[in-house]
Amino acid sequence: MSEEGYRVWAVPGLPEILPGDDLAKMIATAEPTLVDGDVLVVTSKVVSKAEGRSVPATDREAAIDAETVRVVARRGRLRVVENRQGLVMAAAGVDASNTPTGTVLLLPEDPDASARRLRDGVRAALGVTVGVIVTDTSGRPWRAGLTDMAIGAAGVRVLDDLRGASDGHGNPLGATVVATADELAAAGDLVKGKLAGLPVAVVRGLDHLVDAEDGTGARALVRDARDDMFRLGTSEAVREALTLRRTVRRFSDEPVDGEAVRRAVASAVTAPAPHHTTPWRFVLLESPASRTRLVDAMREAWIADLRGDGKSEESITRRVRRGDVLRDAPYLVVPCLVTDGAHHYGDARRDAAEREMFVVAAGAGVQNLLVALAGERLGSAWVSSTMFCRDVVREVLGLPADWDPMGAVAVGHPAEEPRPRARRDPEAFIEVR
């Protein structure tokens, strides 16, 4: 920043923008005193109008649908979505204000390209090199109120990376990356306002933020999905975790965080259960020795059972190999059912139904566990094999006699991306009466 600081003012005198208008030339005419290093802050609404992005839409919701790539969060009719420009915002940025009835304004098709065209147009008209920010209004997580943010940029340093520098006390800055383009957008909005009909502002005195090259554009401000800790709303996060819940049979060598598994267990034990009971127990096999002992003992039990069934050695080898996922997994969880609190009626039919209630509760707990593991970005495979040799499992793991192992869950980081899941039509599983 220069010693004099900086100035921000709105550009007066711009007429109503119509499709096909040369917006850069109109700005240059309205503000002919632009100089090198100025930053133009331009509301996306006038960019969209000039680019003919006003479309007929008697149904705004249909227009939002067409611009939506992914629903991030929904509350009633309000939707926060990722739009086709990669921006996360309410209603995909579709605007029904300041446009004729029966039409809506879409965001510019490519806001960074729009900013480059404006920059080139001003340079051609006035012979000056300016930076350009294209803005739109957005809400923010955890904060009330709206502010403008940069959705397009050209010739402006959109991010100012201060990592590695030191503060006034000599402390190194390890995480400070300033969103300068968003700060410029907000500064411009202070003088443009929302109701004054002033869609363009000029920021002067911040020449160090203006570059000769067009630069990365505002797309660089969009956080990568892998680094976004708040990618989804609550219900959408649950649905995505359900979608991510896939059977994984090949794991990488990356170690499993035991605390992540414990968080998944905390979710598992929120499952419904009969009579206010807690029928779940989870045995965590964190050491390689414990996993090997269990898998070897179960393998011997399976082989003995299969030989007793008269299976050939070739068939036995093939069937036993299915348990390799447990041997290869870096972490195992053995869910167990405990029927403390079950009612005993002295009637075979009712006692069988009572046990089934507890088995269903155990299954709900396992499902919660698998979904929560997916939410932790851990793959899993539920294998029912422990239920065929429960006595062996109890003996090897030193479990109480009333703990019923309900399979084993292999846990780890997937070695490869899962194949796309075939879509199942829910109507095929529904009967309405």
Side-chain angles (χ1 to χ4, degrees):
M1 183 187 303
S2 67
E3 292 182 1
E4 295 79 16
Y6 64 92
R7 293 176 54 219
V8 187
W9 69 92
V11 175
L14 283 169
E16 177 68 21
I17 306 300
L18 302 174
D21 280 347
D22 188 337
L23 183 58
K25 186 175 181 179
M26 296 170 74
I27 292 172
T29 300
E31 191 61 66
T33 61
L34 290 172
V35 299
D36 289 340
D38 283 348
V39 178
L40 286 174
V41 183
V42 184
T43 302
S44 62
K45 192 184 298 287
V46 294
V47 178
S48 294
K49 287 181 177 180
E51 294 180 356
R53 296 283 286 165
S54 176
V55 298
T58 54
D59 183 358
R60 182 172 180 246
E61 295 303 309
I64 295 171
D65 288 341
E67 294 295 300
T68 294
V69 172
R70 175 176 62 91
V71 175
V72 174
R74 184 192 303 267
R75 183 168 295 175
R77 290 177 62 85
L78 175 63
R79 284 179 285 171
V80 175
V81 306
E82 178 185 344
N83 64 18
R84 293 192 295 110
Q85 291 83 355
L87 302 167
V88 174
M89 53 200 335
V94 175
D95 196 341
S97 63
N98 293 309
T99 185
T101 302
T103 66
V104 295
L105 274 176
L106 310 181
L107 291 178
E109 186 75 33
D110 183 343
D112 284 330
S114 300
R116 292 193 294 270
R117 286 192 292 271
L118 286 173
R119 189 184 200 215
D120 291 343
V122 170
R123 182 187 290 119
L126 299 177
V128 296
T129 298
V130 299
V132 176
I133 300 288
V134 176
T135 71
D136 197 50
T137 303
S138 180
R140 299 147 300 151
W142 313 297
R143 305 286 289 179
L146 304 171
T147 187
D148 268 20
M149 67 176 187
I151 65 169
V156 176
R157 190 186 313 165
V158 296
L159 291 168
D160 198 5
D161 192 344
L162 302 180
R163 290 173 296 183
S166 298
D167 64 17
H169 298 281
N171 300 310
L173 300 177
T176 304
V177 181
V178 179
T180 51
D182 282 346
E183 292 184 328
L184 288 166
D189 188 45
L190 288 174
V191 295
K192 290 185 298 172
K194 302 299 184 190
L195 303 175
L198 298 169
V200 180
V202 179
V203 180
R204 179 170 292 172
L206 298 178
D207 313 50
H208 65 288
L209 297 178
V210 178
D211 297 324
E213 302 298 323
D214 286 335
T216 60
R219 182 71 188 186
L221 292 162
V222 178
R223 191 184 298 276
D224 187 88
R226 292 170 297 181
D227 300 324
D228 189 352
M229 295 177 66
F230 308 101
R231 182 168 166 78
L232 296 167
T234 302
S235 59
E236 289 74 21
V238 171
R239 282 195 289 272
E240 178 159 292
L242 286 166
T243 301
L244 290 173
R245 206 283 320 149
R246 309 288 290 278
T247 296
V248 175
R249 297 190 179 276
R250 293 185 61 246
F251 301 100
S252 72
D253 294 331
E254 184 178 352
V256 172
D257 178 8
E259 290 306 311
V261 177
R262 285 167 171 79
R263 288 193 293 270
V265 170
S267 298
V269 298
T270 64
H275 314 315
H276 306 289
T277 58
T278 54
W280 320 277
R281 303 293 185 272
F282 296 89
V283 185
L284 310 184
L285 277 64
E286 298 186 328
S287 71
S290 65
R291 295 194 295 272
T292 300
R293 281 197 305 271
L294 177 64
V295 174
D296 284 349
M298 288 198 299
R299 183 177 185 276
E300 292 177 7
W302 299 337
I303 291 173
D305 283 347
L306 292 169
R307 283 175 177 161
D309 293 338
K311 302 295 183 183
S312 68
E313 291 303 311
E314 180 182 356
S315 174
I316 291 172
T317 300
R318 186 172 62 254
R319 291 167 182 265
V320 169
R321 192 177 296 128
R322 296 173 185 167
D324 285 349
V325 63
L326 299 180
R327 186 179 300 280
D328 297 339
Y331 201 107
L332 292 181
V333 178
V334 178
C336 295
L337 168 65
V338 177
T339 57
D340 289 347
H343 294 175
H344 300 283
Y345 301 98
D347 174 272
R349 177 182 59 83
R350 297 171 71 193
D351 285 342
E354 182 77 5
R355 176 172 174 78
E356 285 178 355
M357 286 198 306
F358 278 80
V359 171
V360 168
V366 171
Q367 171 72 352
N368 277 12
L369 176 76
L370 300 180
V371 172
L373 288 170
E376 297 282 352
R377 295 301 190 262
L378 289 169
S380 63
W382 179 77
V383 182
S384 60
S385 50
T386 68
M387 291 188 281
F388 293 90
C389 51
R390 284 175 167 144
D391 289 340
V392 171
V393 176
R394 279 191 286 261
E395 180 180 353
V396 171
L397 299 181
L399 304 181
D402 60 346
W403 285 29
D404 265 349
M406 304 298 286
V409 179
V411 180
H413 295 274
E416 57 193 7
E417 288 294 321
R419 288 176 294 182
R421 187 196 298 273
R423 185 182 181 279
R424 293 171 178 167
D425 181 3
E427 293 300 325
F429 305 90
I430 295 172
E431 292 288 337
V432 178
R433 297 290 187 266

